[in-house]
Amino acid sequence: MKVLAAAAVAIVALGSMAACGDDKGDEPGSTSSAGTKKNVKVGLAFDIGGRGDKSFNDSAAAGLDRVKTDLNLEVKDLAAVAGESENDKYARLKLLCTTGYNPVIAVGFVYDGADAKNGPLARAAKDCPQTKFAIVDGGTTADNVADLVFAEEQGSFLVGAAAALKSKTGTVGFIGGCQVDLIKKFEAGFAAGAKAAKADIKVLTNYLSTPAEACKGFNDPAGGKTAATGMYDQKADIIYAAAGGSGTGVFEAAKAKNALAIGVDSDQYNTVTDASLKTVIMTSMLKRVDNAVFNFVKDFSEDKFKAGPIVFDLKADGVGYATSGGQVDDIKTKLDEFKADIVSGKITVPTK
């Protein structure tokens, strides 16, 4: 409730400041008579973990930073708070749209809430009909909302194949941050890729939290380390962590057990804070949230906003795998063959 109260005060204060401006100017994000966008101000609301998670949120942050430098647009980002309510999320989006930010980007399915039709984003979109919104990994349907969704199962298939091809024990593992359909797509793709590369591979699975626990497993490095240690003790030698900030704990367990791990969303070989962990990060499944954020804003600034789902798959360079560190160089040809088969439709990757 403290978050909500603070947001409400900020709305009133910033709204009053906006009212004192020149009422002869164009509305933020409006189109002038010359047909060009004026005063475009981009707002972004992070998921739990925010900037510095070295994964999902940082990928979104990278896209926003590109918007600022490459498109020369004003940007503002707001962080989420662990344990906050849906009303807090709504207040954050409302704060952005009522203080002149257009478009506004919500990072993560949490902004859909328990019911996407009446969740935080749906409410904000209804209250701010002139504002264009986007949600990463969302499902809110409204005329002023674009859903930036990814074929996570396709990228996960490739790192699953990599894990099976590189495993020496015949056992690999998957750790998900929260037991939701989105993360189950990562698991399904990973398992399918592993089986495609080595039919008799064993895949262990563990989820760190549930929606009833507010998906706290995305920001629980200690929990990630404990879960990974248990898997390594069961002979897994490579673990894929689709768990946001908890991945750091998985990397720490891999180092302690002289094993390997696979990162997610960002190229975690390059983003991990502890340089000593680089050697255990075999590859990462790249989820190009940065590209999605940047392309959405660029299209908006060119008056090309499109509501509804926008899919970022292998063909659109929306997902992929990292080669930093050189640990998959010897199997890159095989991985690229799998990629080509997925893009061509020869291989259909399951989502469940």
Side-chain angles (χ1 to χ4, degrees):
M1 292 305 294
K2 290 181 179 179
V3 176
L4 177 58
V9 171
I11 290 173
V12 173
L14 292 175
S16 297
M17 292 171 61
C20 295
D22 182 0
D23 61 4
K24 294 181 181 180
D26 290 317
E27 291 294 324
S30 64
T31 304
S32 71
S33 58
T36 57
K37 288 284 180 181
K38 298 188 65 177
N39 304 324
V40 174
K41 297 165 60 178
V42 184
L44 184 144
F46 284 117
D47 198 349
I48 300 299
R51 279 185 183 266
D53 73 346
K54 309 302 179 185
S55 185
F56 179 64
N57 285 286
D58 272 355
S59 185
L64 188 67
D65 292 343
R66 281 177 58 200
V67 165
K68 182 178 181 180
T69 57
D70 294 2
L71 302 182
N72 195 30
L73 298 178
E74 180 179 342
V75 303
K76 181 179 181 64
D77 60 72
L78 298 177
V81 178
E84 67 182 18
S85 68
E86 288 194 7
N87 276 337
D88 295 327
K89 294 178 176 64
Y90 159 73
R92 182 175 303 112
L93 298 175
K94 185 73 177 290
L95 172 61
L96 289 169
C97 73
T98 57
T99 53
Y101 289 91
N102 187 16
V104 172
I105 303 166
V107 181
F109 64 84
V110 293
Y111 286 95
D112 273 342
D115 176 9
K117 293 182 179 179
N118 300 290
L121 177 57
R123 292 167 59 196
K126 182 177 180 180
D127 290 348
C128 301
Q130 300 306 312
T131 301
K132 304 302 184 186
F133 292 85
I135 179 169
V136 179
D137 292 340
T140 295
T141 56
D143 291 341
N144 57 334
V145 176
D147 298 311
L148 311 181
V149 295
F150 296 79
E152 296 94 350
E153 73 281 1
Q154 294 183 356
S156 296
F157 182 102
L158 297 181
V159 298
L165 291 170
K166 300 290 284 189
S167 177
K168 297 178 180 180
T169 65
T171 300
V172 297
F174 172 86
I175 292 178
C178 190
Q179 198 166 15
V180 293
D181 288 345
L182 173 65
I183 304 304
K184 289 177 182 178
K185 288 174 62 181
F186 289 78
E187 178 194 355
F190 178 75
K195 295 290 185 181
K198 191 178 293 184
D200 61 350
I201 195 77
K202 183 177 181 179
V203 182
L204 306 177
T205 299
N206 194 333
Y207 283 88
L208 301 179
S209 65
T210 66
E213 299 170 296
C215 290
K216 64 180 183 180
F218 287 121
N219 193 29
D220 182 12
K225 185 173 184 177
T226 298
T229 299
M231 284 188 176
Y232 290 129
D233 286 344
Q234 294 179 68
K235 305 305 181 183
D237 56 351
I238 302 171
I239 295 175
Y240 176 32
S246 300
T248 300
V250 176
F251 303 152
E252 291 173 350
K255 181 181 178 182
K257 292 293 185 177
N258 194 30
L260 294 173
I262 295 173
V264 73
D265 297 332
S266 299
D267 183 349
Q268 294 196 277
Y269 179 92
N270 292 324
T271 64
V272 68
T273 302
D274 184 351
S276 70
L277 298 178
K278 286 179 178 286
T279 57
V280 306
I281 302 175
M282 186 183 81
T283 182
S284 294
M285 195 286 279
L286 302 179
K287 181 173 176 178
R288 300 303 302 271
V289 180
D290 56 335
N291 284 348
V293 168
F294 180 82
N295 291 341
F296 167 73
V297 175
K298 184 174 184 294
D299 285 347
F300 172 86
S301 69
E302 296 173 352
D303 204 22
K304 298 177 182 177
F305 171 82
K306 179 183 178 183
I310 302 174
V311 181
F312 295 86
D313 56 11
L314 275 175
K315 187 175 183 180
D317 194 29
V319 294
Y321 70 96
T323 58
S324 298
Q327 295 198 57
V328 295
D329 286 354
D330 58 329
I331 59 172
K332 188 175 185 303
T333 298
K334 182 61 177 177
L335 296 181
D336 287 345
E337 288 176 1
F338 278 129
K339 177 181 177 179
D341 285 344
I342 293 170
V343 171
S344 70
K346 184 177 180 179
I347 293 177
T348 299
V349 183
T351 59
K352 296 182 179 180

